[in-house]
Amino acid sequence: MAKQKSVYSCTSCGAQASKWAGQCGDCGAWNTLQEAVAQAVSDHPRFSGYSGDVTTIRAEPLINLEEEPETRVSTGVGELDRVLGGGLVPGSVTLIGGDPGIGKSTLLTQTLAALSQRLPTLYVSGEESRRQVGLRARRLNLPVDKLKLLTETGVERMIKVAQQEMPRVMAVDSIQTVYTGILQSAPGSVAQVRESAAQLVRFAKQTNTAMFLIGHVTKDGTLAGPRVLEHMVDTVLYFEGDPGSRYRIIRAIKNRFGAVNELGVFAMTDKGLREVTNPSAIFLSRHEKPVPGSIIMVTREGSRPMLVEVQALVDESHLNNPRRVTLGHEQNRLAMLLAVLHRHAGVAMYDHDVFVNVVGGVRVSETAADLPVLRAILSSYRDRALPEDMVAFGEVGLAGEIRPVPNGEERLNEAAKHGFKRAIVPRGNSPAKGRIGDMKVIAVQRLDEAIEQVW
Ligand code: TYD
Ligand code: MG
């Protein structure tokens, strides 16, 4: 076989060069040239040229598709099925990302061991030895008599073995350790990760194998290999969670077969990851008595409501640029909320540092957090605690209006179920009766109204 030629391609603009250089000659970006395989378009596996007989090919109305029953395979782990959109789809490729030590290998060992009882499965480890994987499986009491393990990092050999074994479900731990002989660059480099993943994706699609790829996350929180992998796979799942806390959240960032932002919740125990099927209130920390700067919000990530505590600390600042620090919440959103607070409620914080934290390592990305965040900030600023039995949610607009959020009633029911007695919500989310069970619902329309309520 003729040796494949490599070229250098700019990760920023896509221009190609025959030699490596520090700066891209086309767009001028620095350090963006990466080695890649040179491939004439006509060599590309998906290119069949225009020369063949095209009379038999035609576009058809979408409605003419044959009814095919959906063939999802349950992983046996309910929370994982949930984030996948109801189970594994044969031929799909799922990328699982997360910090080192968060539990990616544990989850996949557990899942594949359970699946191996029903389907042929193959676990490929490029990071741990046979012994390490085996010891972990034994400690977790997993049924491993049928689970096949391969320790290998060369993608061509990996695929050869997989072609013999014909697994229905296969996992590769991790994609950063895999390399292809075509390229000279080191394993873990962008070109290697992309090319190896492309080969694995092609294998999954051709053989209808469900494939899991584990990916490491870089320091700035993205999957190594500037997002190239996210485009190639069908589903991207991220592990979230505090290193200190035992709870782990898996979130679907992209899903061609289901809803995004769906959450699966697990707890790390000495017997591996255990599902948390009713996670609604695990992120509440109970204080002995009410403390300033804390409020409970009802968030709805994915398809179920969850109660989480939002904390704020406002402190006098001696910096020219006071600090705006958020954990689990968006920093730009905080800056915007503080501006709204100043303009529409007359509370200025330009000489204060503001810290916002969502307890338990949860990341809240929805706008329903606006109102709780502002109330927590004000509570800390005024050093006055909010009632403990109160929840809040609502979006705050730039004009100082409180806007309704989706699924208000469901959120209120969840709060009432957990014994909360007061809820501050947008008028559009308030039930006609003004209460749900024992819980009084206070509807607000403007920010100044919202911050005066039950103080
Ligand atoms: P691991 O799955 O190896 O993480 P990753 O593959 O994402 O890097 O998880 C390792 C961590 O999980 C390690 O810190 C120990 C902890 N752990 C438990 O607490 N209980 C267990 O049963 C297992 C297997 C791991
Ligand atoms: Mg691992």
Side-chain angles (χ1 to χ4, degrees):
M1 194 174 100
K3 186 156 167 20
Q4 296 250 19
K5 238 182 103 194
S6 56
V7 291
Y8 293 86
S9 132
C10 172
T11 53
S12 159
C13 70
Q16 293 198 332
S18 57
K19 276 206 224 100
W20 187 85
Q23 186 180 25
C24 170
D26 257 51
C27 68
W30 287 93
N31 288 325
T32 54
L33 288 189
Q34 300 274 0
E35 192 188 12
V37 187
Q39 210 170 35
V41 175
S42 54
D43 291 344
H44 197 277
R46 266 173 267 164
F47 183 87
S48 57
Y50 301 114
S51 51
D53 178 19
V54 290
T55 49
T56 53
I57 312 169
R58 55 172 51 90
E60 278 193 48
L62 197 52
I63 198 80
N64 290 359
L65 283 185
E66 285 168 44
E67 278 285 319
E68 260 185 55
E70 219 187 14
T71 49
R72 283 184 190 260
V73 181
S74 164
T75 58
V77 183
E79 291 293 293
L80 185 60
D81 283 351
R82 168 195 287 279
V83 277
L84 288 170
L88 260 184
V89 178
S92 67
V93 182
T94 306
L95 178 66
I96 299 191
D99 292 332
I102 200 153
K104 301 181 295 296
S105 307
T106 308
L107 177 71
L108 277 188
T109 322
Q110 286 181 247
T111 309
L112 260 70
L115 275 169
S116 69
Q117 298 296 303
R118 290 181 278 139
L119 298 166
T121 48
L122 176 64
Y123 190 101
V124 185
S125 180
E127 297 204 330
E128 291 163 303
S129 68
R130 218 184 154 71
R131 194 178 147 71
Q132 279 173 303
V133 181
L135 281 178
R136 180 194 299 122
R138 185 169 327 152
R139 206 163 50 73
L140 300 181
N141 266 333
L142 296 173
V144 285
D145 45 326
K146 299 207 186 84
L147 175 61
K148 294 266 178 73
L149 176 76
L150 170 71
T151 47
E152 176 60 70
T153 50
V155 68
E156 285 83 8
R157 285 191 296 268
M158 214 177 270
I159 288 176
K160 201 150 260 160
V161 173
Q163 274 162 348
Q164 288 158 12
E165 299 284 341
M166 280 320 256
R168 305 309 312 137
V169 185
M170 175 170 168
V172 178
D173 183 5
S174 66
I175 189 68
Q176 273 91 7
T177 57
V178 179
Y179 73 95
T180 161
I182 301 173
L183 297 173
Q184 283 128 40
S185 47
S189 68
V190 179
Q192 283 285 6
V193 168
R194 178 166 42 195
E195 188 56 34
S196 314
Q199 292 198 29
L200 290 168
V201 170
R202 212 172 301 144
F203 172 78
K205 300 288 169 200
Q206 280 166 357
T207 57
N208 220 18
T209 309
M211 174 92 68
F212 285 105
L213 303 177
I214 290 185
H216 287 295
V217 166
T218 54
K219 287 213 179 59
D220 56 1
T222 52
L223 283 159
R227 314 206 74 134
V228 285
L229 287 180
E230 296 189 6
H231 299 294
M232 295 163 52
V233 301
D234 301 306
T235 305
V236 180
L237 308 181
Y238 268 98
F239 258 100
E240 295 172 8
D242 256 353
S245 137
R246 63 196 198 99
Y247 291 110
R248 303 279 184 270
I249 298 164
I250 300 184
R251 188 193 293 268
I253 302 289
K254 158 182 173 178
N255 195 350
R256 287 190 183 142
F257 307 111
V260 286
N261 273 339
E262 191 65 83
L263 296 187
V265 184
F266 293 88
M268 182 61 96
T269 67
D270 55 347
K271 285 270 168 283
L273 284 167
R274 210 169 37 76
E275 290 178 62
V276 179
T277 43
N278 182 15
S280 183
I282 55 174
F283 299 111
L284 296 184
S285 57
R286 299 277 176 198
H287 300 282
E288 277 182 8
K289 54 182 203 279
V291 288
S294 157
I295 189 169
I296 311 297
M297 79 164 286
V298 196
T299 176
R300 191 177 183 280
E301 297 281 338
S303 58
R304 58 188 165 185
M306 222 160 51
L307 297 162
V308 290
E309 179 180 346
V310 177
Q311 295 183 334
L313 181 72
V314 178
D315 190 22
E316 222 172 278
S317 176
H318 300 286
L319 303 170
N320 286 336
N321 282 320
R323 300 173 55 139
R324 309 281 181 244
V325 182
T326 53
L327 279 171
H329 186 253
E330 207 191 318
Q331 195 158 353
N332 288 337
R333 194 90 198 159
L334 172 63
M336 190 202 90
L337 290 174
L338 290 176
V340 175
L341 187 65
H342 182 215
R343 283 299 304 272
H344 296 283
V347 185
M349 302 231 170
Y350 50 77
D351 49 359
H352 284 81
D353 291 332
V354 180
F355 305 88
V356 171
N357 176 31
V358 182
V359 174
V362 190
R363 244 201 310 266
V364 177
S365 47
E366 55 161 10
T367 53
D370 291 354
L371 186 57
V373 164
L374 274 185
R375 294 210 55 143
I377 289 172
L378 271 174
S379 160
S380 171
Y381 179 68
R382 296 177 172 163
D383 202 22
R384 282 163 68 179
L386 294 166
E388 256 196 323
D389 57 1
M390 188 170 86
V391 295
F393 59 83
E395 178 177 340
V396 176
L398 287 184
E401 81 278 22
I402 311 289
R403 305 155 72 113
V405 295
N407 307 90
E409 195 165 333
E410 198 188 339
R411 294 178 204 246
L412 287 170
N413 284 332
E414 189 67 22
K417 204 170 84 191
H418 283 88
F420 286 88
K421 295 283 179 272
R422 275 174 274 193
I424 301 199
V425 306
R427 174 144 309 158
N429 286 128
S430 173
K433 282 185 296 187
R435 58 188 315 115
I436 287 197
D438 269 355
M439 187 173 72
K440 189 169 169 227
V441 180
I442 303 150
V444 290
Q445 218 167 4
R446 309 264 332 149
L447 183 63
D448 39 6
E449 233 181 288
I451 61 181
E452 278 159 18
Q453 282 294 340
V454 276
W455 208 231

